[in-house]
Every structure is written in structure tokens, then in C-alpha cells.
């Protein structure tokens, strides 16, 4: 059977912002989904990031600084639990579905380093794999389609239900649903081996980044840097 017919683990973060080097995790969710889409297990975390949550971010996910200070877990302990839960799934070769994996997995990596927690790469002995990224896959199979490719847009395009956008659990489940639908729709990526699919996405992500970099040069922004690494942006010592 192909990967889209088997067990998947969806993962999502809601954060204080979009800068992987500076922003922090506010909520996280990991959901194990059976091949038929049924939820087998759900884990979620609410974290006090230790910094104020900007108003712009709170408007998106609905979580305030006061709320996490009253109800959130300490970031170091939560980061340890989240990272080990992901490592457990990947050690078992269960594909990890992450929408825009570069962002979520890189930000988690930086949280680990910030709090003195072993990173996912250190636990596995290699970069996180197998990972399935609906954003990379969608751009690969339907490169020239116009319009947005955020999770809500992909759910609409592929007919996947999304209840409560920007709630980590809902987004994690929806990302897995989109990935399955891509696998069902495009035989070219419905390959049996999640590891082979991971390798395909590494190449696709690098190609997509190179194309976007070329577009920025043509648009008069040659100084912009587009990260080609996937699914994790390497850490650089300041």
C-alpha cells in the first residue's frame, strides 16, 4: 500500500510570530490518524513562551499572554515532551505530516537549543524523516496553479474539512487530510515508500526555492534569501 493509505502523524504549532530564530511556541498538537482518517491518538500542549504574545499573533490563534501565563506549561518541559513524541513516531517510521515543515520543525529545533533540550535531529541521529509536507507536495504536483497555498486554501482546493483554523489540533488533522488527498489524486507521489517520498520532496523543495529566488531577482529584490533546505533549516551559530 502507499503511504496515504496507512498511519500518519499530523503535527502543527501556533507561535508568537514567524521568525524561527526569535519566536516561540504557544501551542502544539500531534495527532495519529489511521489509514481511514480516524483519530487514534491526540496530544496537545499549551505553553507559556516566556515572552509576551504579540497582538497580531493573538488575533490569529486566539491565545493571549494572560491566558498562557495562567494556564500554560513551562517551555523547557513542554519542548522536551513535544520533541520526544515526534522522535517516537519517526523511530517507528510513521510519516510525520507538517504543513510548511521548514517553519514548524526549524522553530522547534531552535526552542530545543534555547532551553537545553536535545533536538529532534540529535535524538534520531539524522535529520527528521520521513516527513510529508502538503505545501511542497502541492507545488510539486500542480506547479502552475494560481492562487494561495495556505492550509485553508489547500483544504478548499482538495475538499478537506477544516474545523477551527489556527487551532493546532485542527490544523494538524487537516494537513494530514490534504496530504492523503494529494496521494489519492496524483499517482506520481502515491509511492509505497515514505522514505522515497521524503527524498522526492527534498529535491522538489530545493527546486521550488531556486525558482522563487530567480523570481525575486527578476522582480528587483536580488538581496532576498530563500531557504532551499527542507524539512529543517540548519542552525547557524550567531
Amino acid at each position: 500500500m502507499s503511504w496515504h493509505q496507512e498511519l500518519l502523524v499530523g503535527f502543527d504549532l501556533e507561535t508568537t510570530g514567524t521568525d524561527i530564530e526569535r519566536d516561540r511556541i504557544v501551542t502544539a498538537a500531534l495527532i495519529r490518524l489511521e489509514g481511514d482518517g480516524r483519530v487514534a491518538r491526540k496530544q496537545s500542549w499549551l505553553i507559556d513562551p516566556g515572552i509576551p504574545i504579540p497582538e497580531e499573533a493573538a488575533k490569529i490563534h486566539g491565545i493571549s499572554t494572560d491566558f498562557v501565563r495562567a494556564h500554560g506549561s513551562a517551555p523547557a518541559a513542554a519542548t522536551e515532551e513535544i520533541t520526544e513524541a515526534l522522535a517516537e513516531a519517526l523511530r517507528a517510521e510513521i510519516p510525520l505530516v507538517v504543513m510548511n515543515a521548514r517553519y514548524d520543525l526549524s522553530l522547534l529545533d531552535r526552542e530545543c537549543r534555547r532551553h537545553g533540550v536535545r533536538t529532534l535531529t540529535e535524538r534520531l541521529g539524522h535529520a527528521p524523516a520521513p516527513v510529508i509536507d502538503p505545501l511542497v507536495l502541492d507545488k510539486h504536483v500542480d506547479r502552475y496553479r494560481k492562487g494561495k497555498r495556505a492550509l485553508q486554501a489547500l483544504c478548499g482546493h482538495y475538499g478537506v474539512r477544516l474545523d477551527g483554523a489556527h487551532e493546532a489540533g485542527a490544523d494538524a488533522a487537516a494537513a494530514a487530510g490534504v496530504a492523503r488527498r494529494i496521494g489519492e489524486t496524483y499517482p506520481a507521489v502515491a509511492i509505497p515508500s515514505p522514505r522515497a517520498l521524503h527524498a522526492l520532496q527534498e529535491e522538489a523543495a530545493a527546486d521550488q526555492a531556486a525558482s522563487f529566488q530567480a523570481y525575486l531577482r527578476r522582480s528587483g529584490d536580488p538581496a532576498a534569501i530563500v531557504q532551499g533546505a527542507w524539512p529543517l533549516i540548519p542552525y547557524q551559530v550567531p
Side-chain angles (χ1 to χ4, degrees):
M1 289 196 300
S2 174
W3 58 268
H4 69 276
Q5 299 167 308
E6 300 187 19
L7 181 67
L8 298 175
V9 170
F11 177 63
D12 186 73
L13 299 177
E14 297 297 327
T15 64
T16 60
T18 59
D19 187 330
I20 65 167
E21 305 298 345
R22 296 182 177 85
D23 282 302
R24 313 291 177 88
I25 300 171
V26 177
T27 65
L30 185 150
I31 300 183
R32 293 191 178 217
L33 297 152
E34 302 288 357
D36 60 4
R38 288 182 296 113
V39 175
R41 182 185 181 190
K42 178 178 179 179
Q43 296 169 271
S44 59
W45 295 265
L46 173 69
I47 303 169
D48 178 357
I51 62 173
I53 298 173
E55 185 177 346
E56 295 81 3
K59 285 180 179 178
I60 292 172
H61 49 58
I63 301 170
S64 68
T65 301
D66 288 345
F67 187 79
V68 294
R69 286 177 176 170
H71 305 286
S73 300
T79 300
E80 167 66 34
E81 292 176 6
I82 294 165
T83 309
E84 184 55 32
L86 296 184
E88 179 184 335
L90 293 176
R91 290 187 195 112
E93 291 292 312
I94 302 170
L96 180 64
V97 182
V98 192
M99 176 71 182
N100 193 11
R102 278 191 188 103
Y103 172 74
D104 287 57
L105 295 183
S106 298
L107 194 145
L108 177 63
D109 177 88
R110 304 314 191 260
E111 284 278 49
C112 287
R113 296 172 188 276
R114 182 175 292 118
H115 297 293
V117 171
R118 284 194 305 149
T119 67
L120 188 54
T121 297
E122 290 169 339
R123 292 165 198 259
L124 297 171
H126 54 76
V131 174
I132 298 172
D133 188 337
L135 179 61
V136 171
L137 278 184
D138 178 64
K139 288 181 178 179
H140 177 67
V141 298
D142 200 356
R143 184 167 186 166
Y144 299 106
R145 187 179 79 250
K146 295 185 182 301
K148 295 181 179 180
R149 296 185 192 249
L151 181 58
Q152 286 178 280
L154 293 189
C155 286
H157 180 73
Y158 288 102
V160 173
R161 183 173 177 175
L162 173 56
D163 294 323
H166 299 296
E167 188 278 315
D171 284 0
V178 169
R180 284 195 200 279
R181 200 61 58 86
I182 293 174
E184 293 167 357
T185 305
Y186 295 96
V189 297
I191 51 184
S193 167
R195 288 276 179 174
L197 181 68
H198 183 99
L200 181 154
Q201 290 171 100
E202 284 182 313
E203 294 180 6
D207 179 64
Q208 291 161 16
S211 295
F212 188 46
Q213 185 75 70
Y215 164 77
L216 291 175
R217 291 196 188 101
R218 293 194 302 270
S219 301
D221 190 7
I225 298 175
V226 179
Q227 286 286 351
W230 179 93
L232 186 68
I233 298 172
Y235 175 71
Q236 295 184 352
V237 178

